[in-house]
Amino acid sequence: MTQTTEAAAEAARAGKKPARSRRSRLTALHRAWFVAAVAFVTILGAAAFRSLPGLLIDPLHREFDWSRGTISAAVSINLALYGLTAPFAAALMDRFGIRRVVAVALTVIAVGSGLTVWMTAAWQLLLCWGVLVGLGSGSMALAFAATVTNRWFTERRGLVTGILTAASASGQLIFLPVLSWMVETHSWRPAAITVALTALAVVPFVWLLLRDHPADVGLRPYGAPEFLPKPAPVTGAARRTVTVLFKAARTGPFWLLAGTFAICGASTNGLIQTHFVPAAHDAHMPVRAAASLLAVIGVFDVVGTIASGWFTDRFEPRRLLAVYYALRGMSLLFLPMLLAPSVHPPMLFFVVFYGLDWVATVPPTVALCRELYGEDSAIVFGWVLASHQVGAALVAFIAGVVRDVFGEYDMIWYASGALCAAAALMALVIRRRAADPVLVAG
């Protein structure tokens, strides 16, 4: 009997488990969960730059005397490029790998945010915050989460999608109070530098720990019955991205998914994330208190999105979408009556209710894309996400103009509530069917 076997037998006689059982439990945890954890931290760190736009509107208006419409235009460009870059980024990840694309994207974000501290004209805001940060953030969009999920997981995809989507909200929770304190106590420049340094700090983390495919470490995807070889790099990323768009555009479900997700973006990133803080400030609420409420929305967004991923693995995604949009529209209709100089219980109820619904729409939307478009689903979702950001961009700009013209935001809250009701109806008429074989193979 060997020394190791004797030790195991003695441990068993003493009623103890062999020491190696602990190691077995650790090795039993699939590498896919570590990759998901790295992706979560990456998205969380990158969320810093998404927390800043709503805090910049009033400070830039005071310092440079730029109109809110002009400042909102920069945010609008940022949001539009965030969406339009996403499908190309998904294809680039297929060509060059996840690590390289994400590392370059974070560097571009850091450059764009850092350069804003020297700007003196509005066009520089449009270039740095609008174009550079928009392009970088687009490559870090939810298409990144969809790509990681599709490659590393066969089971629990809805749950993992929900967790990775919640990472952005977690970053909002962490960075919003800090950035609002910097803007209010010092100025907006330290906040911009913080965003740049945060993006740079994540780059080595991504490069050293993230892996492109399970085959890189000799593993099967989580839940897969057999080993899958790593696909060869796909050339012609831009051509493939456009080709997939044309194929998907010939199907009705694509336009319904794109339409509902455009309304999702309009009622979240474009409206609440960009204009909630200035709207609350119009009602004489302190900026830090308003930013803290937005951060609390992020807390419940984490819960709601992970729960939505769990629901998506078990319930019909179209009905989930219909419920989510209907509840969101209802909450937005009440918001104008809740804005006040101080935080009161009905406002806290709105924050909890709306937060649970913030991006709960993502897991069922990703699930429908996967079901309908197969191997092209990450790129198709990238285009659906592009519509999300175009909707966000339009409302971010329109809301700023409405505030300049009418001196209040009420009209925008009511219009967004009505749009959410339309999205609920659109979700119910999406036809669930297998995608065209040519489309899936494309």
Side-chain angles (χ1 to χ4, degrees):
M1 184 179 291
T2 65
Q3 185 175 0
T4 303
T5 306
E6 289 175 354
E10 185 177 348
R13 286 193 298 271
K16 298 178 181 179
K17 292 184 178 180
R20 64 175 181 159
S21 64
R22 184 180 300 173
R23 292 196 299 270
S24 299
R25 288 195 299 271
L26 290 175
T27 56
L29 186 62
H30 196 283
R31 178 68 177 266
W33 294 107
F34 291 101
V35 172
V38 173
F40 182 93
V41 174
T42 303
I43 296 172
L44 183 143
F49 59 84
R50 296 188 61 197
S51 303
L52 196 55
L55 304 176
L56 292 179
I57 293 178
D58 285 336
L60 293 179
H61 174 69
R62 289 193 301 268
E63 180 171 336
F64 297 105
D65 199 29
W66 298 335
S67 71
R68 290 178 175 81
T70 298
I71 300 167
S72 297
V75 179
S76 181
I77 292 171
N78 178 296
L79 292 171
L81 288 177
Y82 176 94
L84 295 172
T85 304
F88 293 95
L92 287 172
M93 288 177 189
D94 288 342
R95 174 67 178 87
F96 298 106
I98 299 174
R99 288 195 304 169
R100 294 178 181 176
V101 173
V102 173
V104 171
L106 288 166
T107 303
V108 172
I109 291 167
V111 171
S113 181
L115 288 177
T116 58
V117 300
W118 291 290
M119 66 184 179
T120 57
W123 68 267
Q124 295 165 346
L125 176 67
L126 300 177
L127 174 63
C128 294
W129 196 261
V131 176
L132 291 179
V133 177
L135 289 173
S137 60
S139 301
M140 285 294 302
L142 293 174
F144 167 50
T147 301
V148 169
T149 304
N150 289 347
R151 290 188 183 185
W152 281 89
F153 291 86
T154 299
E155 296 179 355
R156 304 288 187 243
R157 281 176 166 175
L159 176 63
V160 175
T161 301
I163 292 172
L164 294 183
T165 304
S168 182
S170 301
Q172 176 176 294
L173 163 66
I174 294 169
F175 289 108
L176 257 177
V178 176
L179 295 176
S180 64
W181 173 80
M182 287 183 176
V183 170
E184 199 170 26
T185 306
H186 302 287
S187 75
W188 60 270
R189 288 180 175 83
I193 290 295
T194 300
V195 169
L197 293 178
T198 301
L200 279 180
V202 178
V203 173
F205 188 74
V206 168
W207 191 256
L208 294 174
L209 299 178
L210 196 62
R211 291 294 179 266
D212 293 329
H213 195 276
D216 290 339
V217 289
L219 293 175
R220 296 176 296 176
Y222 178 81
E226 58 185 17
F227 178 83
L228 299 177
K230 183 177 180 178
V234 180
T235 58
R239 183 175 64 252
R240 181 186 174 211
T241 301
V242 175
T243 300
V244 169
L245 170 63
F246 285 141
K247 290 180 180 179
R250 294 200 297 266
T251 66
F254 172 79
W255 293 105
L256 290 169
L257 287 169
T260 55
F261 225 41
I263 294 172
C264 178
S267 56
T268 54
N269 301 82
L271 186 62
I272 295 294
Q273 187 165 358
T274 305
H275 291 284
F276 178 81
V277 171
H281 190 55
D282 284 348
H284 308 293
M285 182 182 294
V287 170
R288 201 178 305 178
S292 297
L293 287 177
L294 200 54
V296 173
I297 287 177
V299 176
F300 289 95
D301 177 26
V302 174
V303 177
T305 307
I306 294 175
S308 178
W310 188 86
F311 290 143
T312 301
D313 287 331
R314 290 161 175 80
F315 300 104
E316 219 274 271
R318 296 177 307 168
R319 295 179 181 176
L320 290 175
L321 287 176
V323 171
Y324 296 156
Y325 285 121
L327 292 176
R328 183 184 300 175
M330 188 187 309
S331 65
L332 288 172
L333 293 177
F334 285 98
L335 182 57
M337 296 178 282
L338 302 178
L339 293 171
S342 60
V343 179
H344 48 84
M347 173 57 80
L348 291 176
F349 179 79
F350 167 83
V351 165
V352 174
F353 190 84
Y354 183 87
L356 290 171
D357 201 337
W358 177 274
V359 285
T361 55
V362 173
T365 301
V366 171
L368 287 170
C369 286
R370 186 183 302 120
E371 175 186 319
L372 293 166
Y373 302 106
E375 294 179 356
D376 288 333
S377 61
I379 297 177
V380 172
F381 178 70
W383 284 113
V384 172
L385 179 64
S387 71
H388 180 283
Q389 295 308 117
V390 169
L394 287 173
V395 169
F397 174 69
I398 291 171
V401 173
V402 167
R403 172 60 178 79
D404 285 335
V405 173
F406 297 101
E408 62 181 18
Y409 286 99
D410 288 7
M411 185 185 302
I412 292 294
W413 306 128
Y414 296 136
S416 296
L419 284 174
C420 288
L425 296 176
M426 292 166 64
L428 289 175
V429 299
I430 296 174
R431 288 182 299 170
R432 296 185 67 187
R433 58 183 177 80
D436 184 88
V438 176
L439 182 64
V440 174

